[in-house]
Amino acid sequence: MVYDKNNRFNVKSPNISIAIQFTILANSSYICCLLKQLEKNGIDIYAFVFLEDKYNKVKFKCVIDNGNNKSLDKLNIMRSILDNDGIEYSETKVVKVSSYTNSNDLSSQFCVLLQNLSVYSFYLGTDESVIFETCCPTKTIQVLSSLF
């Protein structure tokens, strides 16, 4: 592969966008009920992380929808379900990068992000995307866009 100074990683430019991540604090049985409710309402989860501590407390991070015209409705349904159930949650803007094809490129790009800003977490999506939770989503997009 020939090095292209305008495309440092020699890959097709991915789709980079801001998405909403929900962080939910609950027990694992509630998370299962929530997933069933989301499925019943036609809401797809595009990425998620499930972390359980030794006290059976769960931190569940998820990104729903992919930014189409109905995404606001789906976000409102998610909020309504959580509010009605009295569940503690927060919303954060994250960066969703679609169409990753090479894990070596991902590692290199992650290192570039670490050199330029604070990265709190990153995880893989079900649709071949990567979610970056950083201090500044706008700057994250700028840094990632400069790599292609």
Side-chain angles (χ1 to χ4, degrees):
M1 189 173 284
V2 177
Y3 179 75
D4 178 353
K5 69 178 181 176
N6 295 320
N7 184 343
R8 290 176 52 186
F9 295 101
N10 295 308
V11 295
K12 179 182 149 194
S13 295
N15 181 19
I16 304 172
S17 61
I18 292 181
I20 300 297
Q21 170 186 272
F22 286 87
T23 301
I24 301 160
L25 303 174
N27 60 40
S28 57
S29 61
Y30 176 78
I31 299 301
C32 289
C33 291
L34 174 64
L35 293 173
K36 289 177 185 175
Q37 287 182 58
L38 295 177
E39 183 179 0
K40 180 180 167 185
N41 283 287
I43 298 174
D44 294 323
I45 294 179
Y46 288 93
F48 67 92
V49 173
F50 181 93
L51 305 166
E52 187 170 21
D53 67 18
K54 64 182 179 182
Y55 304 106
N56 296 324
K57 294 289 184 180
V58 171
K59 181 184 279 189
F60 182 74
K61 295 181 177 187
C62 66
V63 175
I64 61 171
D65 209 75
N66 64 349
N68 64 25
N69 293 336
K70 295 185 179 184
S71 66
L72 185 58
D73 291 341
K74 292 180 180 187
L75 292 173
N76 286 333
I77 291 169
M78 178 75 152
R79 291 178 186 117
S80 177
I81 291 169
L82 294 169
D83 289 341
N84 288 339
D85 291 346
I87 297 299
E88 184 180 348
Y89 71 96
S90 63
E91 296 178 42
T92 308
K93 289 182 180 179
V94 294
V95 175
K96 180 181 178 188
V97 184
S98 300
S99 303
Y100 265 104
T101 57
N102 185 323
S103 60
N104 291 331
D105 293 335
L106 174 59
S107 299
S108 299
Q109 293 161 17
F110 179 67
C111 288
V112 171
L113 282 177
L114 285 175
Q115 293 169 356
N116 286 281
L117 45 97
S118 296
V119 178
Y120 305 128
S121 68
F122 85 102
Y123 49 98
L124 303 177
T126 59
D127 60 346
E128 298 182 5
S129 64
V130 178
I131 304 299
F132 290 100
E133 181 181 10
T134 67
C135 60
C136 182
T138 304
K139 185 173 179 182
T140 303
I141 289 175
Q142 291 170 347
V143 170
L144 288 172
S145 295
S146 73
L147 300 177
F148 301 100

